[in-house]
Amino acid sequence: MRITDAKVIVTSPGRNFVTLKITTSDGVTGIGDATLNGRELAVASYLRDHVCPLLIGRDPARIEDTWQYLYRGAYWRRGPVTMTAIAAVDTALWDIKGKVAGLPVYQLLGGRSREGVTVYGHANGETVPEVLDEVAKYVDLGYRAVRVQCGVPGLDATYGVSQDKMFYEPADAKLPSEATWSTERYLRVVPELFAAVRDRFGFDLHVLHDIHHRLTPIEAGGLGSRLEEYAPFWLEDPVPAELQEGFRLIRQHTTAPIAVGEVFNSIWDCERLIREQLIDYIRATVVHAGGITHLRRIFDLAALHHVRTGSHGATDLSPVCMSAALHLDIAVPNFGIQEYMRHTEATDEVFPHGYRFADGYLHPSEEPGLGVDIDEKLAARYPYEAAYLPVNRLMDGSVHSW
Ligand code: KDG
Ligand code: MG
C-alpha cells in the first residue's frame, strides 16, 4: 500500500480549521488536524508546498519513519508551524493504521487504562456571581471539573472571559483587538473568585484556573500560596514558559499544582520542567506537538517524573485533534485531565465524530481509526476568514503576554 494523495482542506465553520487528508492506493483515508490559531495559512502552505509532495509513494504504515523523515530531513527542526504540519501527517497515518487494522487507535496504543476521560469545561463571567452561575450550569451537565475565569474590575476586557457562554472563541477580530492588563487588580480578584466557588460548590468539584502567562514567577508563587486553602486542581500557564528555570521559583513558594504546555511544540520545550519535577501537568497537544507519536514520547517522559497529562482542548483544536487526544488520554498510564471547550454545531457538522460526553467523561469512538471525518462538501461552504487573538498591553501601553 502506498500514499497516492495528500490534500489540505481549509474551512471556517465559525472559526478556521486546517485539515490534512491522506489517501492510499487501497482507497483508505486518514485525516489530521493542522490548525494553528491565527497562523493557519502558514501551516497550510508548509504542508501543500513542502510536505504533501514528499508523501506521495511512501508506505503509510511507516509512521515513525515518516515522522523522523519530516523532522530530521527538513534540517530546520521544531517550531509551531513545522510541528503542526508534522502532527497532521502523523495523526492521519495513525487514523489509516487503525482503519487497516480494524481497531480504534487507542487499542494500538496499548488499550484502555481507564473507563472514561475526565474533562473540564470553561465557566467564565465578568463578575464573580456570573461565574458562579456558569459553574452551576456545568455541574448540572455532569462535569466534575470546571475552569473558572472572571473579569478584572476596572479593565474593559479580560482574555479568557467571553460574551458567549457555553461556547467560547478567543480569536475575535480580523486584525488583533487590544486589551489592557493590570496584574495588581487581577491578583486581588482571583482569591475572591476561588473563595466564592468553594463556598457555593464545596470541595468535591475540581476547580482550575488559567493565568495565561501573565505573571512573574514570584507573583505566581504568591498567588498560588494564597489559593492553597481553596485546593485549586491546577494553576495554568502562570508565567511565560520560555525560561524553564522560572518554574523553580514558583515551586519554592507554593504547593498549588502547576500546568503548562499549550504552546509547546516539542519535548525540548518541557524536558527540564518534567525532569526536575517543576510542573504537575503537561498540556501539550497532538496538533501542536508533533502528533500522536511525539506527544506519546512527551507523556512517557512525564510518567517517569510524576507529571500527569492535561492536554489543551480549546475550540481552535479541531474535532480531529480532540478525537486523537482522547485515544491517547484513555491509553496512557499518567493521564490527568483533558480540556473540553465544546465546538459549535457548525464545526461538529463539518467534522462528524464518534466521541461522546457522558457523566463528566468523554469517551473515544470505538470505530476503527480515530472515528472522525471531514465533510468536504460542507467544508467548502465555509471559506477562510482572517481572525486573530487579542494583544494585551499594560496600563502604560507596553505589550504584555496575552
Ligand atoms: O489559541 C489559543 C487558545 O486556544 C488558548 O488561549 C485557550 O488558553 C487557552 C486554554 O487554556 O484553552
Ligand atoms: Mg490556557
Side-chain angles (χ1 to χ4, degrees):
M1 193 160 62
R2 297 280 144 192
I3 295 174
T4 52
D5 190 41
K7 74 170 162 187
V8 178
I9 304 157
V10 180
T11 180
S12 191
R15 72 145 6 269
N16 293 314
F17 293 109
V18 179
T19 309
L20 177 71
K21 181 169 184 174
I22 293 179
T23 306
T24 71
S25 48
D26 288 13
V28 183
T29 59
I31 55 176
D33 185 16
T35 309
L36 185 61
N37 201 1
R39 297 294 184 270
E40 293 88 354
L41 300 184
V43 185
S45 159
Y46 191 107
L47 282 168
R48 267 188 198 126
D49 298 332
H50 303 294
V51 172
C52 291
L54 313 184
L55 296 177
I56 307 304
R58 290 185 69 85
D59 177 355
R62 295 178 62 160
I63 298 179
E64 181 68 43
D65 182 58
T66 300
W67 197 96
Q68 301 295 340
Y69 178 79
L70 294 175
Y71 182 80
R72 297 175 192 232
Y75 189 77
W76 311 106
R77 297 182 182 189
R78 305 162 62 186
V81 174
T82 299
M83 297 304 280
T84 301
I86 294 177
V89 176
D90 184 80
T91 309
L93 295 184
W94 277 103
D95 192 19
I96 289 170
K97 194 177 275 299
K99 287 176 181 172
V100 170
L103 292 170
V105 166
Y106 76 80
Q107 294 289 11
L108 306 177
L109 297 171
R112 269 174 196 278
S113 287
R114 57 197 51 80
E115 300 312 317
V117 172
T118 307
V119 294
Y120 69 90
H122 281 214
N124 64 85
E126 271 311 320
T127 62
V128 170
E130 256 179 68
V131 182
L132 298 183
D133 290 347
E134 293 307 310
V135 174
K137 289 184 195 162
Y138 281 97
V139 170
D140 287 349
L141 286 168
Y143 281 74
R144 296 155 193 271
V146 183
R147 182 187 103 159
V148 295
Q149 308 291 132
C150 78
V152 177
L155 301 186
D156 288 345
T158 309
Y159 185 78
V161 177
S162 78
Q163 301 308 317
D164 307 324
K165 292 301 176 216
M166 296 311 270
F167 303 105
Y168 156 51
E169 183 45 68
D172 61 1
K174 286 195 184 314
L175 288 174
S177 59
E178 298 204 358
T180 314
W181 179 250
S182 160
T183 295
E184 294 78 6
R185 293 179 191 189
Y186 167 75
L187 290 177
R188 282 201 293 272
V189 76
V190 181
E192 276 172 43
L193 173 63
F194 267 82
V197 172
R198 286 302 184 208
D199 189 45
R200 173 144 163 208
F201 298 96
F203 279 76
D204 285 341
L205 184 68
H206 294 317
V207 181
L208 298 78
H209 179 68
D210 192 347
I211 301 175
H212 292 296
H213 311 103
R214 289 180 187 133
L215 301 179
T216 63
I218 205 72
E219 288 164 349
L223 177 64
S225 73
R226 289 174 68 196
L227 295 181
E228 279 166 25
E229 63 177 301
Y230 308 115
F233 183 89
W234 79 30
L235 298 182
E236 173 183 338
D237 292 346
V239 295
E242 288 94 330
L243 182 69
Q244 297 186 24
E245 283 166 20
F247 286 77
R248 203 175 294 137
L249 200 48
I250 301 175
R251 273 286 198 243
Q252 285 162 2
H253 293 278
T254 183
T255 57
I258 302 297
V260 71
E262 66 183 48
V263 301
F264 293 174
N265 50 70
S266 136
I267 200 165
W268 300 106
D269 293 328
C270 48
E271 182 263 345
R272 177 184 289 192
L273 291 175
I274 292 174
R275 203 165 32 79
E276 297 188 17
Q277 302 177 53
L278 300 178
I279 58 171
D280 300 282
Y281 295 91
I282 179 71
R283 283 181 45 71
T285 61
V286 171
V287 57
H288 299 139
I292 291 173
T293 299
H294 194 63
L295 193 59
R296 177 73 199 241
R297 203 149 280 153
I298 295 174
F299 286 179
D300 283 344
L301 178 69
L304 300 181
H305 295 87
H306 306 290
V307 176
R308 284 182 281 170
T309 75
S311 287
H312 189 201
T315 42
D316 48 296
L317 287 71
S318 88
V320 183
C321 176
M322 181 56 78
S323 301
L326 293 173
H327 287 278
L328 260 179
D329 292 339
I330 204 95
V332 297
N334 54 329
F335 170 76
I337 202 163
Q338 168 70 52
E339 181 180 14
Y340 177 43
M341 233 165 117
R342 292 109 45 92
H343 288 107
T344 60
E345 221 170 280
T347 299
D348 285 343
E349 276 168 17
V350 168
F351 297 97
H353 52 260
Y355 61 79
R356 62 187 175 83
F357 175 87
D359 232 6
Y361 300 107
L362 273 176
H363 299 274
S365 167
E366 290 297 331
E367 286 167 49
L370 294 174
V372 60
D373 208 346
I374 180 164
D375 180 333
E376 289 186 63
K377 274 200 188 132
L378 198 52
R381 285 203 222 148
Y382 300 104
Y384 168 79
E385 287 180 42
Y388 292 100
L389 291 168
V391 171
N392 239 342
R393 289 187 189 274
L394 297 178
M395 303 297 246
D396 71 357
S398 6
V399 173
H400 192 52
S401 284
W402 284 352

